[in-house]
Every structure is written in structure tokens, then in C-alpha cells.
């Protein structure tokens, strides 16, 4: 269902956390996620606390889902006393399997968590196959 292909992504994320660098559009910071199957849906949740829904971009091209978000500074005329939350651009790409229906993705952002629900494609669901023998009428059996 979900394929991971970048072995250096976790190393980049660890380096950015250790050195406190902010993400840019050319080199975004990774965002934590959970992914699991729930019945006939595949669910992916991203932690994006403090990110406004209008600062999130979702794109699907073929079977690649790209999530980009930007956490902006509080204001230009504000003098920060403590700044521990990472700012900048966050991004994650997921390579989705052919068994998912990317035309019907449902996206909701609630309490700083972006949740995507991707239905399992009809062709990937279990189905019954008819078996015939000679001139007999087809009989249904479980696959």
C-alpha cells in the first residue's frame, strides 16, 4: 500500500532537529506521520501543530502524494523571548500503491493533525469468482 524509498530522509530529519535548522521550500523539514489500514480505507495522519489549514498543500500525481505545509513566524514586529518550535516549510512524499483510489482522498485538519483517508480501490477488494465445469451453471465460491 505504502512504499518508502528514501533511506536518508530520517538522517536529514535528525540532523535538522539537532542543529535547529528551519525548513525552506528547496530543503523542507520532514513531518511525523502515522499510517494504517482501517477496513476499506488507508489512513495517514500528519502532526502539524500551529499550521493553518490554508498553509497546507496536497498534491497527487500518478501514485505520489505530496504534503507541504508552512509554519510562519508570529509577526514581524514581535521580539521573541523563547523560540523552540520549528518554523519554515515541512514536506513529506508518499508513494501510494496501485490498490488505493487516489481520486477520492478525503482530507481534514483538526487540532493540528492533518488526516487523509484514502479508499481501497474496488479492484483490490476481495471478491467471488465463478467456476464453471463443462455445461454446468456457474457456482459462486469464496476467493
Amino acid at each position: 500500500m505504502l512504499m518508502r524509498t528514501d533511506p536518508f530522509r530520517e538522517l536529514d530529519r535528525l540532523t535538522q532537529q539537532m542543529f535547529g535548522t528551519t525548513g525552506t521550500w528547496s530543503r523542507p523539514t520532514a513531518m511525523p506521520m502515522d499510517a494504517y489500514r482501517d477496513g476499506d480505507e488507508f489512513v495517514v495522519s500528519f502532526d502539524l501543530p500551529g499550521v493553518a489549514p490554508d498553509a497546507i498543500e496536497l498534491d497527487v500525481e500518478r501514485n505520489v502524494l505530496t504534503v507541504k505545509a508552512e509554519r510562519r513566524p508570529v509577526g514581524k514586529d514581535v521580539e521573541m523571548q523563547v523560540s523552540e518550535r520549528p518554523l519554515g516549510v515541512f514536506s513529506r512524499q508518499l508513494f501510494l500503491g496501485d490498490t488505493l483510489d487516489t481520486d477520492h482522498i478525503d482530507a481534514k485538519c483538526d487540532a493540528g493533525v492533518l488526516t487523509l483517508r484514502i479508499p481501497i480501490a474496488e479492484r483490490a477488494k476481495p471478491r467471488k469468482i465463478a467456476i464453471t465445469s463443462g455445461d454446468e451453471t456457474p457456482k459462486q465460491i469464496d476467493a
Side-chain angles (χ1 to χ4, degrees), residues 51-104:
V51 175
D54 64 339
I56 301 171
E57 292 180 15
L58 290 175
D59 295 312
V60 177
E61 185 175 340
R62 295 187 187 171
N63 66 336
V64 179
L65 171 72
T66 303
V67 180
K68 279 192 175 181
E70 183 176 12
R71 183 178 298 128
R72 299 175 181 119
V74 177
K76 295 179 181 179
D77 297 332
V78 175
E79 182 182 336
M80 291 297 289
Q81 300 298 312
V82 177
S83 180
E84 295 179 350
R85 298 181 333 151
L87 298 174
V89 180
F90 303 86
S91 178
R92 194 77 183 247
Q93 276 192 325
L94 303 177
F95 296 91
L96 305 175
D98 294 333
T99 59
L100 299 176
D101 185 0
T102 57
D103 292 332
H104 296 96

Side-chain angles (χ1 to χ4, degrees), residues 31-61:
M31 63 185 85
M33 72 166 205
D34 290 332
Y36 56 92
R37 183 173 177 166
D38 182 16
D40 287 341
E41 292 182 318
F42 194 68
V43 181
V44 184
S45 298
F46 299 93
D47 282 347
L48 294 169
V51 175
D54 64 339
I56 301 171
E57 292 180 15
L58 290 175
D59 295 312
V60 177
E61 185 175 340

